[in-house]
Amino acid sequence: MPFIKTISYEESEGKLRKLYDRVKGPNNNVDNVLSIHSLRPHSLTGHMTLYKAVLHNSNNTLPKWYLELIGVYVSGLNECNYCVQHHSEGLKRLLNDNQLYDQMISCLNSDLTITDGLNQKQLLGLKHAQNITLHHAQINQKEIDELRNVGFSDGEILEINQVASYFNYVNRMVVGLGVDLHGDE
């Protein structure tokens, strides 16, 4: 149960109902991470715009599964079980390989010391996401140069930064407002 009031699909009207109609799932279910915005529908619009631009834009060049993996990792670092659960399911679907999925989750759970399933470039990108989350004030040009040296373009470095930053925002909103999985499908 969230810490603040939310408006259900059945209670919604006007602009909120129109937004809910765009994001609802089966049985008019609106994920709790979205309904938490119900008192300020304009923030739901902003959230969805940012989410789609950062994770699901066709102009991104990093694989969708890798962006999802960054989200799962950042959410774990932030102790946001809601986002870990949701995005782990998305990662699993994108990989379509249970063994590879298990290897990647083991890597994340071992603070990137078990590296099966990920190459050095991918690990360094995850380390950068970790630094954005836990040590953002310590990031410097050297770290960015190391990302370039392993083959990330500046646009891909931007993608990593955007995904990590997006999840830091959402994780803090979800945890700070008590959003849980109850009722989500």
Side-chain angles (χ1 to χ4, degrees):
M1 202 67 179
F3 302 150
I4 65 171
K5 175 184 174 11
T6 60
I7 300 169
S8 70
Y9 179 84
E10 292 73 28
E11 300 169 313
S12 68
E13 54 188 43
K15 181 178 181 177
L16 180 61
R17 174 59 70 99
K18 287 179 184 175
L19 288 169
Y20 275 179
D21 282 337
R22 288 180 31 212
V23 300
K24 70 182 180 177
N27 303 316
N28 295 326
N29 183 63
V30 177
D31 285 343
N32 297 338
V33 70
L34 302 177
S35 67
I36 198 68
H37 292 279
S38 61
L39 299 176
R40 300 292 184 267
H42 60 276
S43 69
L44 174 55
T45 300
H47 183 151
M48 290 306 300
T49 300
L50 184 60
Y51 170 74
K52 289 178 181 180
V54 169
L55 283 166
H56 297 289
N57 191 289
S58 61
N59 293 312
N60 289 340
T61 59
L62 291 174
K64 286 184 190 232
W65 68 263
Y66 186 66
L67 299 176
E68 200 76 51
L69 181 68
I70 292 169
V72 171
Y73 184 51
V74 167
S75 298
L77 293 171
N78 286 323
E79 300 179 44
C80 181
N81 294 328
Y82 182 96
C83 291
V84 168
Q85 290 285 347
H86 263 267
H87 291 277
S88 290
E89 290 301 318
L91 174 62
K92 192 178 232 181
R93 276 192 305 276
L94 288 168
L95 290 173
N96 197 26
D97 181 330
N98 288 341
Q99 182 179 359
L100 182 58
Y101 169 81
D102 290 342
Q103 289 172 332
M104 288 185 183
I105 296 302
S106 292
C107 178
L108 299 185
N109 290 337
S110 72
D111 196 30
L112 310 180
T113 57
I114 299 171
T115 60
D116 290 344
L118 295 167
N119 62 38
Q120 286 306 113
K121 177 182 175 181
Q122 294 160 339
L123 287 168
L124 195 60
L126 288 169
K127 289 277 190 190
H128 183 59
Q130 179 186 63
N131 287 340
I132 291 167
T133 303
L134 302 176
H135 312 288
H136 62 278
Q138 297 170 8
I139 295 172
N140 56 35
Q141 186 66 52
K142 181 180 180 225
E143 182 170 328
I144 302 305
D145 289 342
E146 288 172 358
L147 291 165
R148 283 187 190 118
N149 290 340
V150 297
F152 285 111
S153 70
D154 282 8
E156 291 170 334
I157 294 167
L158 177 61
E159 287 178 39
I160 293 167
N161 191 291
Q162 288 178 324
V163 170
S165 297
Y166 166 78
F167 276 93
N168 276 295
Y169 156 68
V170 173
N171 296 161
R172 282 155 177 75
M173 183 189 64
V174 165
V175 173
L177 293 175
V179 177
D180 61 25
L181 290 163
H182 182 74
D184 273 8
E185 293 181 16

